Structures are given as structure tokens and as C-alpha cells.
Amino acid sequence: MWHYLYFIVLVKVKDPTEFTGPESYVYAMVKAGILEWFPRLRAMSLAAVDADGEQIELRSMQAQLLDTQLLIKNLSTQLHELKDHMTEQRKQKQRLGLLNTTAHSLLPFQ
């Protein structure tokens, strides 16, 4: 933190004709009141670590997504099989109902 303060003081007291590239950039930013160049609780080394962590997290999420897609596909298949089974059972009950009705109607009156 103090190094940044010293750097700001440096660019304010140094002759602008002797600025290096970064000094010119910081001088223009400080003069315009823009503080985007100042790292607020972030550093390039931490950003690299975060990027690696994000990549690992992204891979993990992709694996979970694939697992979830497989589960959904399996559940969908099971649901279709269950639906077909239920339809077949209804058809059999209807046939039995029709057979029972037909059998009663064919019995002679007593």
C-alpha cells in the first residue's frame, strides 16, 4: 500500500518529460481522478490462482452437469417404460371388462 502512495508522490514531483511508460500512465490516471489502475484487494498472482480454481470448479460443474443429464435421460426412459406398462395394464383391464360383460350377456336367463 505504501509503495503505491510513494509512486503517486513520485509522479507528482517528477518532471513529466522524464516519465517511464507506467509513470506516464499513472500520472494521467491520477490527474483525471481515475483509480482503476490501483489494485483494490486483488493482485495478478491471486487472480492467476483464482483462475486455476475457477477452471477446476468449471470442470467439476461440467462433470456434474453430464451426470445430471445421464440421470435425467435414465429417468425419462424409465418414465416412458412405466407409461407403456400402465397403458398395457389399462388395455388388459378393458379387455377383461369386455370379456366379463360379454360372458354375462351370453349366459342364458335363469
Side-chain angles (χ1 to χ4, degrees):
M1 173 177 76
W2 294 109
H3 292 284
Y4 287 99
L5 178 63
Y6 296 142
F7 192 66
I8 292 170
V9 170
L10 171 75
V11 296
K12 286 190 174 203
V13 296
K14 188 173 181 180
D15 182 11
T17 59
E18 297 180 8
F19 283 161
T20 63
E23 291 171 343
S24 295
Y25 175 76
V26 170
Y27 177 77
M29 291 293 182
V30 169
K31 189 174 180 180
I34 301 171
L35 296 177
E36 292 177 9
W37 63 274
F38 196 87
R40 290 174 294 247
L41 300 175
R42 58 186 157 82
M44 288 176 61
S45 60
L46 294 177
V49 170
D50 286 346
D52 290 342
E54 287 174 5
Q55 288 295 327
I56 291 169
E57 185 177 347
L58 180 61
R59 285 189 205 111
S60 173
M61 290 178 73
Q62 286 174 333
Q64 288 177 351
L65 179 61
L66 287 174
D67 290 343
T68 303
Q69 287 174 333
L70 285 173
L71 285 172
I72 289 172
K73 186 176 180 180
N74 288 337
L75 287 173
S76 180
T77 302
Q78 290 175 2
L79 182 61
H80 286 296
E81 289 172 359
L82 182 60
K83 184 179 175 183
D84 291 343
H85 183 68
M86 294 292 292
T87 303
E88 188 60 36
Q89 280 186 344
R90 263 191 223 116
K91 287 179 183 178
Q92 287 177 356
K93 285 182 180 182
Q94 286 175 350
R95 285 185 207 128
L96 286 175
L98 287 175
L99 287 177
N100 287 340
T101 306
T102 309
H104 282 25
S105 62
L106 292 176
L107 289 176
F109 292 107
Q110 296 178 353

